[in-house]
Amino acid sequence: MADERTPRATRSDATVLDHAPALGPLYARALLTAPGRGGELTEHEVTQHGARIDRERLTAYDRVCGFGVRDELPATYLHVLAFPLQMVLMVDRSFPFALPGLVHVRNRIVQHRPVRADEVLDLRATARNLRPHAKGAQVDLVAEARVGDELVWEGVSTYLAKGAEAPGQALSGHDELEVSLPDDASPAAVWRVPKDMGRRYAGVSGDVNPMHLNPLAAKASGFPRMLVHGMWTKARALAALEPRLPEAYAVDVAFSRPLLLPATVGFVASTAGGPDEWDFAVRPAKGGREHLRGRVISV
Amino acid sequence: MAPPATRSAVVVGGNRIPFARAGGPYAHASNQDMLTVTLDGLVARFGLTGERIGEVAAGAVLKHSRDFNLTREAVLGSRLSPHTPAYDVQQACGTGLEAAILVAGKIALGQIDSGIAGGADTASDAPIAVNEGLRRALLDASHARSTVDKLKALAGLRPGQVVPETPRNAEPRTGLSMGEHQARTAAEWQIGREEQDALTVASHHHLAAAYDRGFFDDLVTPYLGLTRDQNLRPDTSLEKLARLKPVFGKDLGDAATMTAGNSTPLSDGASAVLLASENWAAEHSLPALARFVDAETAAVDYVHGAEGLLMAPAYAVPRLLARQGLSLQDFDYYEIHEAFASTVLTTLAAWQSEQFCRERLGLDAPLGSIDRDKLNVNGSSLAVGHPFAATGARIVATLAKELHDQPGETGRGLISICAAGGQGVVAILEAVK
């Protein structure tokens, strides 16, 4: 596998994958290569050409996240395809932060048009915008999907490295995602999220981060119980809005607080701006600070 | 109070997904998935995004209990306005056509201006029920107040009772499958193997030709990699079909004629048809392909009445003809659902039988024969497949388009669909030019 032998990237290195790498070995490698990280971002770029959709895997993803079985891909499914490339970037020794301890705090996806399951995709991932933050340092893992020359999808995952340092200036205002939802808004739906939802999402997404699979690993990461992936929560929220989304849109979410399992949460949504534009949040059903807040806008 | 004035309900157009064989590409798609994408295809075809439709009536025959509101759930998952009401209909294989009759009737009465009729069925994603003994024990346990009582309720379970029950395609009152019933009817009417196979070949060839000339381009939307009906065999022939062994009525010996080829396969799929008042269609700049003229349903006593399970359309059609003052020959097209090739052939034979028409239908003369060149001209269920509740809307949309496309000032088509429980649903469409 190309990633296993990838040397430390130089300032403008490129890794070309012929298939998506399995994430289990990458997580193991992330642990082994954790010490000694630092420095600045390199121009490292990871690409995969000719990615095809496995319909059975897609259907399983649809079921776990609540999407209907359609020929168009959920916008969050492209993240599932691009995430292994981002992992290759982060596991590489040239990446300034160790993966353990990185927190996914924000995810913004732009769907330029619906992508069909029979389309062949070229995927690309880079890391950008290393910057200081009040709690440490942040970096954006940026991914894009093209069909031929056409850019059809972009994803930006922002990670926080608590206590880390980074050169430059903190981005002002970038941190906050403002949504207009009353604190006491009654939920449009109540979701009962079972204890094994992290395992189920790991099964369909390939993201086998141990803290989602094993209570001990969760404790080792500082959580009292297993937690579900933030990208499941985002996908579940998007699925709830599925028939009411624009053709081309951006969906931006901030992961405010881990969703520990099992959980009963409320989904709150309200139209914002245009008829197909939404503010939404996932909150504990019994009240308290939200797990996720998000916004859909037409692009 | 005077009866309400009526107006015409017209067929605007239809949409379906290609039908798949059970266990094929739709094996993991649910009825709700298929019905939702079928509605969305209709929405895309006719620009109905966000449109509040008068109602959506659809259903499924093989249905999970959790799908009690299947059609409404599909509407909520579609791009139709969430203010579109919906309800489920179930009349076995007659479901889709019965849904169209309901919608057309409300339009005719002025109760709604637009409506969608449809249906979905999956033989792949069929419900599996718990054994009756286990079901009873679980319910008793959930009703019990104390833990001891709960345990008592469950204690009586025997190992055999935890084996689930898979659905069977059998009539509850006879225990016979539909194929076994029809095998008896076919033998009684002495329907030969070769004429069944010939009808089957025609169905496949007609369907293939219709696809080849682009007839289905605005009736079918690809789904999960399927662009044509999976069961379609364009190169099938009498020789190939002749090699198949009978699968139904094997106890009839030489009179066993029904094979996997001249019977419909278990299928997955969904269909929908948009109906409206002429005004509504005009206001939305949408076509009116055909008028939904009239319909009739009939039922036969196949349990004790010495009548074949699938013979009800033979009774429904003459009643409809009498009401409309038409003869069986006054049609340009006949759409007779091919549950089995022998169903079509026994129905036609019954209408030609002086004895049947006199004794069973009370007619002075037989209805007579039809011009076979007008029968199922774009193929039917033997080639397309037959997801039970999806067949009605498929036929309504297909016939309406054929009527509209044909040259000439007028055109009239007859639809005849047989259904489990000894029922038959039939209807008449007329071209709008």
Side-chain angles (χ1 to χ4, degrees):
Chain A
M1 233 163 53
D3 52 287
E4 294 294 331
R5 294 186 300 275
T6 306
R8 188 183 175 108
T10 57
R11 281 201 66 81
S12 61
D13 201 355
T15 305
V16 180
L17 306 173
D18 55 6
H19 63 280
L23 293 174
L26 284 178
Y27 274 112
R29 194 173 149 88
L31 274 177
L32 295 173
T33 61
R37 297 291 183 118
E40 297 189 20
L41 285 182
T42 66
E43 301 283 316
H44 190 188
E45 169 187 289
V46 181
T47 55
Q48 183 192 350
H49 293 286
R52 289 174 190 276
I53 309 303
D54 177 336
R55 284 188 188 264
E56 277 195 30
R57 201 178 150 202
L58 171 63
T59 301
Y61 175 89
D62 289 337
R63 289 273 178 263
V64 166
C65 300
F67 293 103
V69 177
R70 292 172 179 270
D71 280 327
E72 297 80 23
L73 303 180
T76 45
Y77 193 69
L78 278 296
H79 172 85
V80 169
L81 300 180
F83 182 65
L85 281 64
Q86 299 180 329
M87 277 290 288
V88 169
L89 269 178
M90 292 191 281
V91 166
D92 192 280
R93 285 184 185 278
S94 68
F95 190 73
F97 305 119
L99 193 65
L102 273 188
V103 187
H104 193 191
V105 292
R106 183 87 171 251
N107 181 273
R108 183 171 194 268
I109 285 172
V110 181
Q111 172 180 299
H112 292 287
R113 66 159 172 83
V115 181
R116 293 191 317 276
D118 58 358
E119 294 190 290
V120 181
L121 300 163
D122 292 333
L123 306 169
R124 178 172 174 264
T126 54
R128 289 181 203 158
N129 303 331
L130 177 63
R131 57 196 183 266
H133 180 269
K135 292 178 183 167
Q138 286 192 342
V139 63
D140 292 337
L141 273 292
V142 179
E144 61 178 45
R146 289 175 188 271
V147 176
D149 292 333
E150 183 190 9
L151 179 65
V152 292
W153 180 92
E154 293 173 277
V156 179
S157 298
T158 301
Y159 287 87
L160 169 68
K162 282 185 184 166
E165 290 181 5
Q169 296 226 312
L171 295 178
S172 61
H174 186 81
D175 214 25
E176 290 300 311
L177 174 61
E178 291 297 333
V179 298
S180 49
L181 291 168
D183 286 340
D184 58 352
S186 55
V190 173
W191 304 336
R192 287 169 190 85
V193 190
K195 198 168 83 177
D196 66 346
M197 191 48 92
R199 288 178 189 151
R200 286 161 68 178
Y201 184 77
V204 298
S205 69
D207 185 353
V208 291
N209 189 332
M211 69 183 180
H212 301 300
L213 308 178
N214 185 310
L216 293 175
K219 282 203 171 69
S221 301
F223 300 104
R225 304 195 303 275
M226 283 191 292
L227 57 156
V228 74
H229 306 62
M231 288 307 290
W232 175 82
T233 315
K234 177 171 183 173
R236 182 68 191 82
L238 207 61
L241 298 171
E242 188 180 24
R244 308 265 96 84
L245 294 171
E247 291 268 295
Y249 64 91
V251 53
D252 193 357
V253 304
F255 302 109
S256 325
R257 180 183 171 203
L259 181 50
L260 301 177
L261 301 175
T264 302
V265 294
F267 175 67
V268 185
S270 127
T271 50
D276 288 334
E277 302 194 316
W278 298 92
D279 281 351
F280 58 93
V282 176
R283 297 170 171 168
K286 287 180 181 165
R289 200 157 69 86
E290 72 204 14
H291 299 288
L292 168 153
R293 61 166 60 184
R295 166 166 282 187
V296 172
I297 55 165
S298 295
V299 295
Chain B
M1 203 173 91
T6 62
R7 56 181 179 175
S8 287
V10 296
V11 178
V12 174
N15 183 55
R16 66 178 178 94
I17 53 176
F19 291 171
R21 291 173 66 98
Y26 305 168
H28 296 283
S30 66
N31 279 330
Q32 191 179 321
D33 289 324
M34 295 192 293
L35 189 55
T36 305
V37 298
T38 298
L39 289 175
D40 271 346
L42 196 71
V43 165
R45 182 157 294 142
F46 297 111
L48 303 176
T49 299
E51 183 84 29
R52 180 170 66 85
I53 296 296
E55 71 179 27
V56 180
V61 175
L62 295 174
K63 189 162 136 179
H64 295 264
S65 54
R66 63 170 183 260
D67 284 343
F68 63 96
N69 229 350
L70 170 70
T71 309
R72 174 62 180 151
E73 288 298 325
V75 166
L76 283 172
S78 78
R79 294 206 168 260
L80 289 170
S81 162
H83 302 287
T84 299
Y87 55 90
D88 280 25
V89 182
Q90 210 283 63
Q91 198 174 32
C93 309
T95 300
L97 184 55
E98 188 64 74
I101 295 168
L102 293 167
V103 169
K106 285 196 183 185
I107 292 169
L109 287 172
Q111 293 169 345
I112 54 174
D113 293 321
S114 62
I116 295 170
D121 252 299
T122 165
S124 301
D125 190 40
I128 289 184
V130 297
N131 179 292
E132 185 61 17
L134 177 59
R135 188 183 76 89
R136 202 61 257 170
L138 289 172
L139 285 171
D140 287 346
S142 77
H143 297 152
R145 286 167 183 268
S146 72
T147 309
V148 172
D149 287 346
K150 282 184 196 298
L151 289 173
K152 269 187 197 162
L154 295 171
L157 273 177
R158 294 184 304 281
Q161 289 178 322
V162 299
V163 178
E165 288 178 354
T166 46
R168 292 186 313 135
N169 181 13
E171 286 296 322
R173 285 177 189 277
T174 64
L176 293 179
S177 72
M178 195 174 273
E180 291 301 327
H181 269 285
Q182 180 56 32
R184 277 148 186 76
T185 310
E188 190 186 319
W189 283 92
Q190 297 180 323
I191 305 296
R193 167 76 182 265
E194 197 165 321
E195 53 179 327
Q196 295 178 47
D197 286 352
L199 190 91
T200 306
V201 170
S203 186
H204 284 275
H205 289 180
H206 288 162
L207 181 67
Y211 269 112
D212 288 345
R213 71 171 193 272
F215 180 78
F216 289 113
D217 287 356
D218 58 358
L219 288 172
V220 175
T221 307
Y223 183 51
L224 303 185
L226 210 53
T227 54
R228 288 186 176 194
D229 305 305
Q230 193 187 9
N231 193 55
L232 171 60
R233 300 282 178 275
D235 59 349
T236 194
S237 64
L238 280 175
E239 294 72 42
K240 285 181 183 172
L241 288 172
R243 288 199 284 267
L244 299 174
K245 288 197 171 66
V247 291
F248 297 115
K250 284 189 273 192
D251 57 324
L252 298 169
D254 288 345
T257 53
M258 289 168 53
T259 67
N262 60 38
S263 309
T264 47
L266 288 174
S267 326
D268 305 338
S271 67
V273 59
L274 175 63
L275 297 118
S277 68
E278 286 173 294
N279 270 348
W280 188 93
E283 282 164 12
H284 288 73
S285 305
L286 292 174
L289 303 180
R291 245 181 298 284
F292 201 100
V293 176
D294 199 359
E296 176 79 18
T297 55
V300 295
D301 184 1
Y302 66 98
V303 186
H304 307 293
E307 186 52 276
L309 177 71
L310 302 180
M311 289 300 283
Y315 294 74
V317 165
R319 293 190 330 220
L320 183 60
L321 294 176
R323 183 160 68 236
Q324 288 293 323
L326 294 170
S327 78
L328 183 61
Q329 290 70 36
D330 289 338
F331 293 87
D332 303 280
Y333 297 100
Y334 302 86
E335 282 283 351
I336 305 182
H337 161 52
E338 298 164 343
F340 306 91
S342 63
T343 320
V344 180
L345 295 166
T346 43
T347 302
L348 294 177
W351 288 335
Q352 291 177 66
S353 158
E354 195 273 335
Q355 188 189 0
F356 179 88
C357 288
R358 177 167 39 82
E359 291 179 2
R360 303 285 175 99
L361 304 180
L363 299 177
D364 297 335
L367 271 63
S369 61
I370 65 165
D371 179 352
R372 291 285 289 274
D373 288 341
K374 299 175 176 176
L375 175 66
N376 299 347
V377 295
N378 295 303
S380 191
S381 305
L382 285 167
V384 182
H386 173 41
F388 310 118
T391 288
R394 171 186 72 75
I395 292 179
V396 171
T398 304
L399 176 60
K401 181 175 175 187
E402 182 63 40
L403 284 168
H404 185 74
D405 283 2
Q406 68 150 358
E409 290 304 300
T410 58
R412 187 183 292 127
L414 177 69
I415 299 173
S416 165
I417 296 178
C418 56
Q423 307 204 80
V425 190
V426 304
I428 294 173
L429 303 190
E430 274 176 8
V432 177
K433 296 288 182 176

